[in-house]
Amino acid sequence: MKHAISSIIIYPVLLFCFIAVLNGCKKKDSGGSAIQVLTGSTEVHSGGDTENSQRQQDAFDREFEMLNSLEETLCITDSPGAERLIQAADRLNNWIRDRKPEDAWKPDEQFTALEKSAAQAAETARKILTMLTFFQEFEIDGSSVKSTDTFEKERKELSDMLAQFEAQLNPLAADTGVAAFAAFTDIVVSIQKRFQGLAAIKNLNAAGIKAFAKQLEQETAQFRNAAETLEHYASELRTEELFVQPSDVDYLKQCTWLRNISNWACGDKQEPLERVKNLFDWTVCNIEIRNPNNPFGTPVGQEAEPLPMQYPWQTLVLGFGTVWDRAWVFTELLKQQRIDSCLLLVEISAAQSGEQESAKDVKLQFIWAVGVFLDNEVYLFSPVHGLPFPAADSAVLAADGSLDFKNIATLSAVIKDEKLLRQMNLHQLRLSEELVVPLTAEHIAKTTALLPAQPEAVSSRMCLMQAQLSGSQNMTLYTNLKEMRRKIPEFEGIKTVELWKYPLRTKFEQIVLFRRTAELMTPFGIPNPKRNDFPLWTGRILYFKGNISGQEGAMTHYQHARVPDRDIMEYRSRAEFRNNPLQEGLFRLVTMYASFWLGTAAFETQSTVAAKDFLERLDKEPHRNAWNVPTKYLLGRIAEREKRYEDAFKYYEGTAGSLSADGNQLRITFLKEAMGK
């Protein structure tokens, strides 16, 4: 796929201060989908009397009502809403304290093994850190010989422990996909070299030991950071405990938003596959693919920080992410509709791509589609192209003039008919300028299903909470991975089932790059200078609820978020504005976001005239539009509705050089097919 840099200017972004995460906290994030959602019983295991149980249940219900009303409070770091999440965790723990796990919940073997592996490595790291501290604080007592003997004994023990730690890190890196765990071994090697140099010194004395301790300070500090990160990560893999942390509430918040979106984005469609198509289309229209190494389209010559991996709730708020962030949101939307899905991966030998003889043993892995399980078939959707895999000759024009597909291709159909791959341009995968890999039906017939499951989704506490939800609060929190692993291999073409490691890697990045994530959320904490509220945040949450138009709808708040140029000129004269030179850039950034989302909201409500007005004005100012590519895409979709197909082609072609370009060219091809050209 192309990875060209878009020439869009991004305004300066003010870093938010982020609260450091407590060591050892049991932070949780989002979950994956399941073939069968098990809710378990609704029995309440309370140790108190009936009145007390009712009070606790009322408190439980109120917390979920709060999660569905987050438009009322800014809920990002260092905001009052963040404190509300901490309080919600405390109240949920009061409710869960005397309860037992649901009978439907069973520990997942793979997550249990991951938890054990990470916990063992974290324990070893804590012991090593204690010993390193001992060496730094080591003092010569009355007997120099006795002291140096003790020193040597501790050194040998530390050497053994470092070797044990290194042996624990490599499999942990392989099982989670977190390369940084393997990189921790560099710190281990550095410490080992320090001690090897010390062992070569004859007649070690007090001065030598003190000099060594001083030299060890840097490695000790580096190891302390690594050990604390590992301990934090290990704590987030615990699934058996019935204990809710504030970060668990982030997962509940995420499920609430996804449920709300899925309920209205499906439209009035009752047929499951039509609902899937609508949810996929919503995802494509609302989640832009951006280059992780240049997420804001910063012009050449300006340094851009890479886009950190994101939880689905963050991708929803931001409206952009990597292609895998888009795929993750899609699978989570399906999960809320009790429709099951996974990512589909194939492995190809590098020798087949024309590599040198010496590269025959190199294997390339490629995720080529999202598979959706319906009617004993696996229906295929491409998050990269933003299109479903159409069955042969199924491209049609819908009643409103837009591109549609009568039938969606299935995994079994692609195995039988390789032309279905060719029409998606997947028969030749360009993984880089030099590397082109052929993808064939033979490869597809050996597909691996990747399950996008996270600790929260398979935890006992989420299974228990889901069992208590009903009516308008009902949502999917729990995933039965065991049942999923049992059923998926029954589908033709799926040979193995594994965990998708992207969520596990995301968890690690969120721990170490939390300040970068806070920076991305900056626009949502910028108040309207006249109203002193946070309209951009409020507009997003109302949009997720489907409350789009009207006086209290999302579009009204998006309007309030925009700051006219005349107001910015007026604020320049204020003392507080002069002392904050970034403020003007932030106002313009928020205005740009709000203008684009006004166009998106109008598009979703079929308000074509309004959508064109907002988006065309943005399209005329590409230097001030970080949403340049999705703006052109939505204008193309509007042109389809108005049957101005030549204009639609021009808009799609205008995204050349972006990560969406290949998919938009395919859309042109299918449109022409539907038009009979």
Side-chain angles (χ1 to χ4, degrees), residues 270-282:
Q270 299 299 317
E271 205 275 321
L273 186 55
E274 291 300 314
R275 285 189 284 140
V276 172
K277 287 167 60 177
N278 282 357
L279 289 177
F280 182 72
D281 193 54
W282 185 93

Side-chain angles (χ1 to χ4, degrees), residues 225-443:
N225 290 336
E228 291 173 353
T229 300
L230 178 57
E231 185 173 17
H232 187 174
Y233 188 81
S235 73
E236 298 202 357
L237 298 180
R238 298 169 184 165
T239 61
E240 188 169 356
E241 293 181 358
L242 288 175
F243 186 81
V244 180
Q245 286 284 343
S247 47
D248 280 325
V249 185
D250 274 337
Y251 173 69
L252 297 174
K253 170 183 69 181
Q254 173 178 293
C255 290
T256 302
W257 292 352
L258 289 160
R259 177 205 59 196
N260 291 343
I261 294 168
S262 72
N263 283 345
W264 67 265
C266 283
D268 57 359
K269 303 295 183 182
Q270 299 299 317
E271 205 275 321
L273 186 55
E274 291 300 314
R275 285 189 284 140
V276 172
K277 287 167 60 177
N278 282 357
L279 289 177
F280 182 72
D281 193 54
W282 185 93
T283 304
V284 171
C285 290
N286 285 269
I287 307 298
E288 181 197 0
I289 302 174
R290 293 194 181 177
N291 189 329
N293 294 320
N294 193 17
F296 294 114
T298 306
V300 176
Q302 296 185 24
E303 184 178 354
E305 293 188 67
L307 182 67
M309 295 179 179
Q310 300 166 180
Y311 297 137
W313 74 264
Q314 293 165 327
T315 303
L316 288 172
V317 173
L318 294 169
F320 62 78
T322 65
V323 65
W324 307 128
D325 294 322
R326 175 189 275 186
W328 197 358
V329 166
F330 177 47
T331 61
E332 292 296 308
L333 286 170
L334 293 174
K335 174 182 169 182
Q336 292 303 322
Q337 290 291 311
R338 271 61 170 184
I339 297 173
D340 309 308
S341 62
C342 69
L343 286 89
L344 303 177
L345 175 143
V346 292
E347 186 173 86
I348 305 172
S349 171
Q352 293 174 291
S353 64
E355 294 289 288
Q356 298 297 321
E357 192 74 16
S358 61
K360 278 189 175 180
D361 294 332
V362 176
K363 300 292 184 181
L364 299 171
Q365 292 187 328
F366 179 75
I367 297 175
W368 61 282
V370 171
V372 181
F373 301 94
L374 286 174
D375 305 323
N376 297 317
E377 291 283 2
V378 184
Y379 291 91
L380 305 176
F381 294 80
S382 173
V384 177
H385 297 103
L387 289 164
F389 280 62
D393 303 319
S394 69
V396 296
L397 297 178
D400 67 352
S402 300
L403 176 67
D404 195 9
F405 300 101
K406 292 182 293 185
N407 300 297
I408 306 300
T410 63
L411 181 58
S412 59
V414 170
I415 294 171
K416 295 179 178 67
D417 185 0
E418 201 168 294
K419 289 186 295 185
L420 297 176
L421 284 177
R422 292 182 177 275
Q423 70 174 355
M424 297 293 286
N425 291 335
L426 287 179
H427 58 294
Q428 293 288 329
L429 301 175
R430 183 171 294 279
L431 302 182
S432 69
E433 291 299 323
E434 300 80 19
L435 186 57
V436 179
V437 181
L439 181 64
T440 67
E442 184 180 355
H443 295 126

